[in-house]
């Protein structure tokens, strides 16, 4: 304990001198570190963050050391330990890439005021050195919802939820609303897997829904397992690439995908640290900002549906359409958005209710 | 015949499939522990089985070759464990944990470039008209061969342990290795063979995950199944048929809670998810509070290293 305190204070002292001079004017070399919730080989969420890390290396070359990352870090006490170790190990900026690292990130950030922390998908910025960044995945969910509503034959569409957090609830609502818009008969089945990454369980969740007659499955978990399960149906069930393109399941069951594109943001932040323009931030970009890409819509989707989906994508990008546009009621029938009103960001970030028409409860 | 909108036949069918990997790994570990060796590397061996099985199946085009490859891969890594614990007398707990970490890392390395490839499909056993029997056909008779093979393996292990000389020697080694040694049995050799058997089973279980259950390779695909297998061995109090029950219980509840959700049943799923673990704790409490032969039944020499000089 004593040695750790000593190390911490040494690191703080070192950081202080750096911040006094270097940060104002930029740095010669930045060490950027990454904490991942799954393995890089998940082919989804973590893989995309690692692509962002590689983009940083490609962009800055010798001026950045982004070789430090830790895979499969549990969300909990372990995260704090990993973060402390990274901060002590000389990282200048640490990207924590899962919602569950929120409290750990803020706790460690207070101990290391001279290390910059970037927390993905969170909302707490309790110290001046914590920034948050997120992507408007719900915009992609809207496009998926439209395709789901048009493509379903059983009028039953499914969504594999990971954990009942606003990020996921938001996705469910966007998916449902935009499916309902084109197909009023559509019914949504939600299954909570309580994991971000467990291929066998994700496949079981998909299987359970398929047995209930669901024929379009969107997933909010990280692996390609739901698509592998859908592939067993020989084209009767379709799904979407999640986080990564998952192109290996083209043209069906993967008919399109939401691709997380973190590279530009990571380059921007590391670049700001290098040239001294770094400031605390709360970034939430979507299709427009290029953080959310819609993967190629395959030939398994009829041309007119494809055109409709692409138009929706472009309308969202241009701002002509917001996936949450009133009138929308909450599940219990109470009004949320009035006619023509669009959802304020605050409502979305704290979203803990289903919209009207979805059955079932959000586990609390 | 539905309850909560779930067809029980379909539920039984899915739980039989979902339980295969943990059942195989657990029955293998049971044999290892019966021989007095505690191998905590089940997760590592499973994932090695998953990746080796996947690679073999992809290159040969045969799922059966894949299962053999998976078993071989897991046995290869377990030889390191056998060398360290049986020859160099390293601590079994620490070595087993190291094997898990090593297996996870090595499998990730070996699996590079195999993401997104589809393995050859495993066909269901053609049982002809039997599959059309209402309920029974759908629930029990429409599976791939490994489902039945795994049950046969459990039966085989039970018969060998209970009725054969080999089983008796194995148990003797696990209960009191000094006495077994004095009788002239090769303790070390028997234990190495048990470890290899356990590894082969874990490898088969792992290969089942990557070839049948989720036909793909993804890093960390077994996601903790090996640890559940270890828990099942304790839950089963080292009895083969209870391993079968334990595997169905653990696998079944996962499937059940997902199916309940999909069917829209309003049941708090988080309680259902934790129930197998609660039951394990409960079983442990009941067993350890019982007197005499209802006691824990753990092999007496479990986890102890053996050296002939003692």
């Amino acid at each position: 304990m004593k040695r750790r305190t000593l190390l911490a204070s040494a690191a703080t002292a070192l950081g202080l001198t750096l911040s006094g001079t270097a940060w104002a004017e930029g740095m010669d070399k930045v060490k950027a570190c990454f904490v991942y919730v799954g393995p890089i080989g998940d082919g989804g969420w973590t893989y995309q963050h690692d692509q962002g890390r590689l983009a940083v290396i490609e962009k800055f070359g010798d001026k950045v050391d982004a070789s430090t990352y830790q895979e499969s870090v549990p969300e909990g006490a372990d995260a704090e330990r990993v973060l402390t170790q990274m901060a002590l190990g000389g990282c200048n900026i640490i990207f924590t890439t899962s919602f569950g690292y929120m409290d750990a990130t803020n706790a460690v950030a207070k101990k290391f005021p001279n290390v910059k922390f970037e927390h993905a998908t969170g909302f707490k910025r309790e110290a001046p050195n914590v920034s948050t960044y997120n992507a408007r995945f719900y915009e992609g969910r809207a496009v998926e919802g439209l395709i789901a509503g048009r493509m379903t034959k059983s009028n039953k569409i499914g969504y594999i939820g990971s954990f009942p957090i606003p990020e996921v609830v938001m996705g469910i609502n966007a998916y449902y609303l935009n499916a309902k818009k084109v197909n009023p008969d559509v019914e949504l089945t939600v299954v909570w897997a309580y994991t971000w990454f467990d291929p066998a369980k994700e496949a079981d969740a998909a299987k359970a829904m398929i047995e209930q007659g669901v024929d379009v499955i969107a997933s909010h978990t990280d692996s390609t397992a739901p698509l592998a399960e859908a592939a067993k149906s020989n084209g009767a069930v379709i799904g979407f690439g999640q986080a990564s393109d998952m192109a290996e399941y083209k043209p069906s069951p993967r008919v399109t995908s939401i691709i997380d594109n973190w590279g530009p943001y990571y380059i921007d932040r590391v670049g700001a640290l290098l040239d001294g323009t770094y400031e605390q931030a709360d970034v939430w970009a979507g299709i427009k900002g290029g953080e959310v890409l819609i993967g190629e819509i395959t030939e398994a989707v009829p041309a007119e549906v494809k055109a409709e989906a692409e138009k929706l994508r472009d309308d969202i990008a241009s701002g002509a359409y917001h996936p949450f546009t009133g009138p929308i009621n909450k599940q219990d029938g109470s009004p949320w958005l009035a006619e023509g009103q669009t959802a304020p960001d605050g409502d979305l970030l704290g979203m803990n209710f289903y919209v009207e028409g979805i059955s079932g409860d959000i586990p609390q | 015949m539905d309850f909560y909108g779930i067809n029980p036949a379909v539920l039984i069918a899915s739980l039989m499939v979902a339980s295969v990997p943990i059942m195989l790994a657990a029955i293998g570990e049971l044999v290892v522990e019966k021989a007095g060796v505690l191998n905590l590397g089940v997760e590592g061996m499973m994932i090695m089985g998953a990746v080796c099985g996947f690679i073999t199946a992809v290159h040969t085009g045969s799922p059966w070759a894949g299962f053999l490859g998976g078993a071989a891969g897991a046995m290869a890594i377990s030889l390191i464990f056998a060398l360290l614990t049986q020859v160099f007398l390293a601590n079994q707990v620490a070595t087993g944990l190291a094997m898990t970490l090593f297996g996870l890392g090595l499998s990730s390395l070996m699996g590079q470039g195999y993401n997104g490839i589809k393995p050859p499909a495993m066909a269901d056993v053609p049982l002809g008209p039997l599959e059309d029997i209402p309920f029974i056909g759908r629930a029990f008779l429409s599976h791939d061969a490994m489902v039945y093979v795994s049950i046969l393996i459990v039966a085989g292990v039970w018969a060998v342990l209970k009725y054969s000389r080999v089983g008796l020697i194995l148990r003797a080694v696990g209960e009191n290795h000094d006495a077994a040694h004095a009788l002239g049995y090769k303790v070390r050799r028997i234990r190495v063979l048990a470890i290899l058997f356990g590894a082969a089973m874990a490898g088969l279980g792992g290969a089942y995950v990557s070839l049948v259950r989720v036909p793909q390779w993804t890093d960390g695909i077994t996601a903790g199944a090996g640890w559940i297998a270890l828990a099942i061995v304790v839950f089963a109090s080292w009895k083969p048929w209870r391993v079968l029950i334990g595997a169905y219980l653990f696998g079944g509840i996962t499937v059940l809670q997902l199916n309940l959700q999909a069917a829209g049943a309003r049941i708090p799923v988080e309680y259902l998810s934790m129930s197998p673990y609660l039951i394990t704790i409960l079983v442990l409490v009941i067993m350890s509070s019982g007197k005499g032969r209802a006691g824990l039944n753990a092999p007496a020499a479990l986890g102890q290293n053996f050296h002939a000089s003692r």
Side-chain angles (χ1 to χ4, degrees):
Chain A
M1 189 63 212
K2 224 172 193 173
R3 195 173 55 152
R4 184 175 289 179
T5 329
L6 188 71
L7 278 172
S9 46
T12 317
L14 191 72
L16 274 177
T17 46
L18 278 176
S19 75
T21 53
W23 257 323
E25 296 149 18
M27 300 171 73
D28 294 332
K29 180 159 181 164
V30 164
K31 184 170 179 185
C33 305
F34 296 78
V35 184
Y36 299 141
V37 72
I40 291 170
D42 67 356
W45 178 260
T46 295
Y47 176 77
Q48 289 301 122
H49 280 286
D50 199 60
Q51 290 295 306
R53 181 182 71 87
L54 296 176
V56 168
I57 294 174
E58 185 161 322
K59 169 85 181 174
F60 296 110
D62 287 345
K63 282 161 73 184
V64 62
D65 171 10
S67 59
T68 307
Y69 60 83
Q70 179 85 46
E71 295 173 88
S72 302
V73 176
E75 299 177 326
D78 275 351
E80 225 172 299
R81 196 171 48 77
V82 168
L83 283 170
T84 307
Q85 221 159 43
M86 282 184 169
L88 289 174
C91 299
N92 304 115
I93 182 165
I94 302 175
F95 294 92
T96 57
T97 64
S98 184
F99 180 81
Y101 299 144
M102 181 157 66
D103 292 329
T105 304
N106 280 287
V108 177
K110 283 176 197 155
K111 291 184 212 153
F112 297 94
N114 301 300
V115 178
K116 304 297 182 198
F117 290 83
E118 295 271 346
H119 178 227
T121 71
F123 53 82
K124 281 190 194 164
R125 289 172 298 280
E126 289 170 356
N129 54 332
V130 178
S131 294
T132 51
Y133 62 102
N134 200 352
R136 294 178 186 269
F137 301 117
Y138 67 86
E139 296 182 347
R141 296 289 173 196
V143 177
E144 287 184 356
L146 180 139
I147 294 174
R150 286 276 186 233
M151 296 291 288
T152 179
K153 295 187 180 69
S154 62
N155 287 332
K156 284 183 176 174
I157 61 173
Y159 197 106
I160 302 175
S162 42
F163 292 95
I165 56 173
E167 166 71 37
V168 178
V169 176
M170 199 188 318
I172 293 171
N173 285 333
Y175 179 66
Y176 176 74
L177 281 171
N178 288 276
K180 182 105 176 162
K181 194 163 276 178
V182 295
N183 181 352
D185 296 328
V186 88
E187 276 176 39
L188 176 68
T189 303
V190 179
V191 170
W192 296 100
Y194 283 98
T195 180
W196 288 113
F197 180 82
D198 181 345
K201 199 170 182 188
E202 293 170 43
D204 281 344
K207 194 175 180 182
M209 290 203 282
I210 292 169
E211 278 160 7
Q212 292 292 330
V214 170
D215 63 355
V216 185
I217 297 175
S219 61
H220 212 124
T221 46
D222 296 351
S223 87
T224 47
L227 286 173
E229 187 64 40
K232 289 181 186 168
S233 72
N234 294 324
V237 179
I238 59 167
F240 307 98
Q242 159 61 2
S244 184
D245 195 29
M246 302 189 177
E248 57 270 22
Y249 288 96
K250 273 183 193 174
S252 184
R254 173 224 169 273
V255 294
T256 184
S257 59
I258 298 177
I259 306 170
D260 309 353
N261 186 27
W262 303 106
Y265 180 75
Y266 289 168
I267 289 171
D268 186 49
R269 298 304 274 173
V270 172
L273 208 52
L274 280 168
D275 62 25
T277 55
Y278 188 93
E279 279 176 358
Q280 184 181 31
D282 170 23
V283 174
W284 203 21
I287 293 178
K288 187 182 170 198
E291 274 196 16
V292 176
L293 304 177
I294 303 296
E296 185 206 338
I297 300 173
T298 64
E299 64 266 25
V301 177
E304 66 271 16
V305 177
K306 181 177 175 178
E308 199 181 356
E310 282 172 345
K311 181 172 182 306
L312 184 73
R313 177 194 68 195
D314 297 342
D315 283 350
I316 292 173
S318 70
Y321 175 73
H322 191 292
F324 291 103
T325 305
I328 301 174
N329 289 344
K330 295 185 182 179
Q331 190 183 29
D332 58 14
S334 61
W336 174 39
L337 297 176
E339 176 80 45
Q341 195 188 354
T342 59
D345 283 356
D347 278 17
L348 292 177
L349 289 169
M351 196 169 236
N352 58 357
F353 57 87
Y354 284 147
V355 294
E356 195 172 40
I358 300 181
S359 59
D361 300 317
I362 302 173
Q364 296 297 332
Chain B
M1 221 171 80
D2 284 11
F3 67 104
Y4 283 121
I6 303 174
N7 182 344
V10 171
L11 186 68
I12 293 170
S14 340
L15 89 82
M16 283 185 79
V17 171
S19 310
V20 171
I22 47 179
M23 191 194 303
L24 283 168
I27 198 70
E29 178 67 12
L30 180 136
V31 171
V32 178
E33 294 191 9
K34 271 287 183 193
V37 180
L38 182 62
N39 185 356
L40 293 183
V42 182
E43 175 79 4
M45 297 187 297
M46 277 187 91
I47 197 140
M48 280 304 290
V51 73
C52 294
F54 189 84
I55 292 172
T56 317
V58 165
H59 287 294
T60 60
S62 153
W64 286 110
F67 281 111
L68 288 180
M75 284 162 86
I77 190 175
S78 80
L79 275 178
I80 305 174
F81 177 84
L83 178 74
L84 289 172
T85 60
Q86 301 308 307
V87 179
F88 299 128
L89 303 183
N91 179 292
Q92 293 179 7
V93 172
T95 312
L97 292 173
M99 282 301 112
T100 290
L101 297 175
F102 178 58
L104 287 171
L106 184 62
S107 67
S108 169
L109 182 68
M110 289 175 69
Q112 296 288 328
Y114 286 93
N115 288 334
I117 296 175
K118 290 180 201 103
M122 179 101 176
D124 288 352
V125 181
L127 290 172
L130 288 178
E131 285 179 35
D132 300 328
I133 302 171
F135 189 78
I136 293 172
R138 179 75 184 85
F140 301 105
L141 300 174
S142 56
H143 296 299
D144 58 88
M146 279 309 284
V147 173
Y148 308 115
V149 169
S150 63
I151 296 170
L152 288 178
I153 288 175
V154 173
V157 166
W158 167 76
V160 167
L161 282 179
K162 193 168 167 76
Y163 295 113
S164 80
R165 187 175 174 78
V166 174
L168 196 61
I169 295 171
L170 188 90
R171 282 187 287 149
V173 167
E175 293 296 338
N176 189 336
H177 47 219
D178 293 319
H181 177 66
L183 285 172
Y185 297 124
K186 308 268 186 244
V187 172
R188 192 190 281 171
R189 186 184 302 167
I190 291 162
R191 285 191 170 165
V192 169
L193 290 174
I195 291 169
L196 283 175
F197 176 80
M201 292 303 109
L204 285 183
Y208 191 81
V209 176
S210 66
L211 291 176
V212 182
R213 207 149 152 238
V214 192
Q216 57 167 251
W217 168 250
T218 312
D219 275 15
I221 191 167
T222 49
W227 299 110
I228 294 179
L230 279 164
I232 290 175
V233 177
V234 179
F235 170 87
S237 55
W238 294 270
K239 291 193 166 64
W241 288 116
R242 290 199 200 162
V243 163
L244 184 96
I245 295 169
Y248 280 167
L249 197 66
F250 278 62
I253 284 182
T254 312
V255 172
L256 176 67
Q257 62 104 345
L258 292 170
N259 276 281
L260 280 174
Q261 287 194 59
R266 289 163 194 260
I267 281 181
V269 290
E270 48 276 38
Y271 298 115
L272 217 46
S273 299
M274 68 171 86
S275 55
Y277 305 97
L278 290 178
I279 296 172
T280 304
I281 295 171
L282 212 69
V283 167
L284 283 174
V285 169
I286 293 170
M287 285 191 320
S288 48
S289 67
K291 47 190 177 318
R293 73 203 147 85
L296 246 175
N297 195 32
L302 183 59
Q304 294 173 15
N305 281 336
F306 171 74
H307 192 267
S309 65
R310 265 202 299 185

